[in-house]
Amino acid sequence: MTFPTGFLWGAATASYQVEGGVTEGGRGPSVWDTFAATDGKVLGGATGAVACDHYHRYPEDIGLLAGLGLNAYRFSVAWPRVMPDGRTTSAAGLAFYDRLVDELLSRAVVPVLTLYHWDLPQALEDAGGWPERDTASRFADYAAVVHAALGDRVRQWTTVNEPFCAAFLGYGSGVHAPGVQDHDTALVAAHHLLLAHGLATRALTAQARPGHEFSLALNFAPAIPDGSSPAHAEAARKFDGIHNRFFLDPVLGRGYPADVVAAAGRFVECVRDGDTDVIAAPIDWLGVNYYAPARVTPLEDPQAPSNCPLPTLRGMDVLPARPPLTAFGWEQSPSTLTSLLEWVSARSGGLPLVVAENGASFVDTVVDGRVYDAARVNYFMEHLRAVHDALRLGVDVRGYFAWSLLDNFEWAMGYTQRFGLIHVDFETQRRTVKDSGRFLGRVAKANAL
């Protein structure tokens, strides 16, 4: 199964999950520093203060990635490292990413830069955070600063990673930083995150160089009804609306889905004239993050609260995942990835797509210097078959990024979930390439499965 010439084969990380060095180089605190330091918020009391120490060990980590045969690295810039207060530029903070990009290019690895992977400067959260409209403008300023510093070498730019999580988990359920629990606030935060994407895309485009490409990355959970009745279809519509279409449609110029807005109460009050035009700023490709589908069922009472803590959801529940499961308890359903890529392509009119995150956590053990993670090898094999099936059906897929390059700080789960192609001993920081890393490297070098 061959892949297109020029296909990007990479692995992804996020700044707070891997960097550490949270008080070095003038970096200011982020919402995740504050959240992780709060008792009971992160499993085991873990923090990202050291994480994988990527801040100091990036040459080793990039060397391992390149040595596997991967040709791209998707990383995120820490806003509080570049702007400790969210507004004032730190030369030392920018210098770290300057060194990182140079290291990537010296090893012929394509840098794919994400500007926001959830580590909002605490100073901006103190000023209102994402529920405050001004945060979107501050993000556009930050985007322009990073682009001015690195745009001579970085061609691939992603504005926001998974606004769904930043808004709905950070301000709705409260299981992520900053830990706010209010669905109305979460919807406002979601709008401002999308507005930030649009404003940043306009700012980036205004100072773009030839060959630059701009995108954002959305996480999708396709809704699979557990029956074929109209009520089951309605349950799927509700879930798909708030999880998938609410974020995708405005980016595509379709505006917010009418069915979701109708159930969203006062949400429309935060949407000003012209906002949807800004959000629909043209992008060159869309990052598709996929891990698992959601199996849904209707409730007898259409107004009954859902067991799924997302805004607007009533009259439906999400069912337990079906085996086989990952260590996180997520369902493994590779064929759903094919269907998802087809659906996004059709809905977007053939917009180029990149699988910006896909991966699985399993229980990994180092035995005689090796990690025999056959379950993850199989996971990648089946999901790459799914990507190839989408290509065969005419979907324009241009890259695949495994989550993650390294075992890392897995947000509220601390260090209990291992997604990496490379095993990290968090006490010694020793790296051990897993069999899955070697497997994906062989596929990348052959550009074929």
Side-chain angles (χ1 to χ4, degrees):
M1 297 183 182
T2 58
F3 288 78
T5 301
F7 196 81
L8 290 177
W9 292 100
T13 63
S15 50
Y16 189 73
Q17 292 184 271
V18 299
E19 283 183 3
V22 296
T23 61
E24 298 185 54
R27 179 187 179 278
S30 77
V31 291
W32 269 97
D33 294 298
T34 303
F35 187 78
T38 305
D39 287 345
K41 296 299 185 181
V42 175
L43 200 61
T47 77
V50 176
C52 304
D53 197 28
H54 189 61
Y55 182 73
H56 299 106
R57 298 171 183 263
Y58 70 89
E60 175 188 1
D61 295 335
I62 294 167
L64 289 169
L65 179 146
L68 289 175
L70 302 179
N71 61 22
Y73 179 46
R74 180 174 178 249
F75 66 97
S76 76
V77 172
W79 191 349
R81 193 177 295 286
V82 170
M83 291 179 161
D85 61 358
R87 300 168 184 270
T88 307
T89 302
S90 164
L94 280 172
F96 168 68
Y97 297 104
D98 192 75
R99 296 191 299 272
L100 175 65
V101 168
D102 283 349
E103 185 72 25
L104 289 166
L105 295 176
S106 74
R107 295 182 179 272
V109 175
V110 175
V112 181
L113 188 154
T114 299
L115 287 161
Y116 187 71
H117 201 132
W118 312 348
D119 44 358
L120 182 72
Q122 183 62 44
L124 292 184
E125 177 60 30
D126 294 341
W130 287 112
E132 172 60 45
R133 187 181 180 91
D134 185 63
T135 304
S137 297
R138 301 288 71 74
F139 180 74
D141 294 342
Y142 154 68
V145 165
V146 177
H147 188 272
L150 303 177
D152 60 328
R153 286 155 290 159
V154 177
R155 296 178 57 192
Q156 304 287 350
W157 294 80
T158 299
T159 54
V160 179
N161 181 78
E162 298 183 354
F164 168 96
C165 294
F168 291 169
L169 304 186
Y171 294 93
S173 66
V175 298
H176 279 192
V180 177
Q181 296 178 314
D182 185 275
H183 284 169
D184 289 339
T185 299
L187 288 166
V188 175
H191 174 61
H192 291 157
L193 278 153
L194 290 173
L195 185 64
H197 154 71
L199 291 171
T201 301
R202 287 186 170 186
L204 295 170
T205 302
Q207 58 187 41
R209 299 167 184 242
H212 282 196
E213 295 180 353
F214 304 115
S215 66
L216 85 163
L218 301 178
N219 56 307
F220 294 89
I224 302 176
D226 73 329
S228 57
S229 73
H232 285 89
E234 175 68 1
R237 179 197 64 77
K238 290 178 179 178
F239 184 90
D240 175 67
I242 191 61
H243 196 296
N244 303 318
R245 290 182 287 114
F246 183 78
F247 293 92
L248 177 63
D249 282 6
V251 171
L252 299 179
R254 295 169 172 264
Y256 287 106
D259 58 326
V260 179
V261 172
R266 299 175 57 189
F267 165 72
V268 293
E269 296 178 9
C270 76
V271 182
R272 298 182 184 175
D273 289 346
D275 280 3
T276 54
D277 292 334
V278 173
I279 295 169
I283 57 176
D284 298 289
W285 52 269
L286 177 71
V288 175
N289 295 1
Y290 170 75
Y291 292 95
R295 297 189 180 273
V296 300
T297 190
L299 298 176
E300 186 174 343
D301 179 0
Q303 293 303 313
S306 172
N307 68 350
C308 183
L310 295 181
T312 77
L313 285 189
R314 290 185 173 276
M316 57 78 61
D317 274 351
V318 174
L319 296 170
R322 294 183 183 177
L325 306 179
T326 69
F328 221 133
W330 294 347
E331 180 173 341
Q332 299 182 56
S333 180
S335 63
T336 304
L337 176 55
T338 304
S339 302
L340 170 63
L341 292 170
E342 281 190 282
W343 177 77
V344 174
S345 178
R347 198 166 186 85
S348 66
L351 183 69
L353 307 178
V354 170
V355 179
E357 287 184 26
N358 179 237
S361 64
F362 293 104
V363 178
D364 298 323
T365 306
V366 179
V367 179
D368 296 329
R370 189 169 173 181
V371 179
Y372 300 86
D373 58 336
R376 189 177 288 104
V377 170
N378 185 70
Y379 179 97
F380 284 132
M381 185 182 300
E382 294 303 315
H383 284 78
L384 289 174
R385 289 181 188 274
V387 173
H388 193 272
D389 286 345
L391 284 163
R392 184 173 49 80
L393 292 167
V395 179
D396 186 0
V397 186
R398 300 189 177 182
Y400 178 92
F401 288 81
W403 184 268
S404 173
L405 175 63
L406 304 163
D407 292 337
N408 56 39
F409 175 81
E410 188 49 46
W411 307 115
M413 299 302 291
Y415 295 98
T416 65
Q417 300 294 325
R418 293 183 177 270
F419 281 85
L421 300 175
I422 298 169
H423 181 279
V424 178
D425 182 321
F426 295 109
E427 292 186 4
T428 66
Q429 292 296 335
R430 181 178 177 83
R431 272 72 161 145
T432 303
V433 175
K434 302 178 187 179
D435 281 4
S436 59
R438 294 187 177 91
F439 166 77
L440 194 62
R442 289 195 298 271
V443 174
K445 285 184 281 190
N447 201 36
L449 181 65

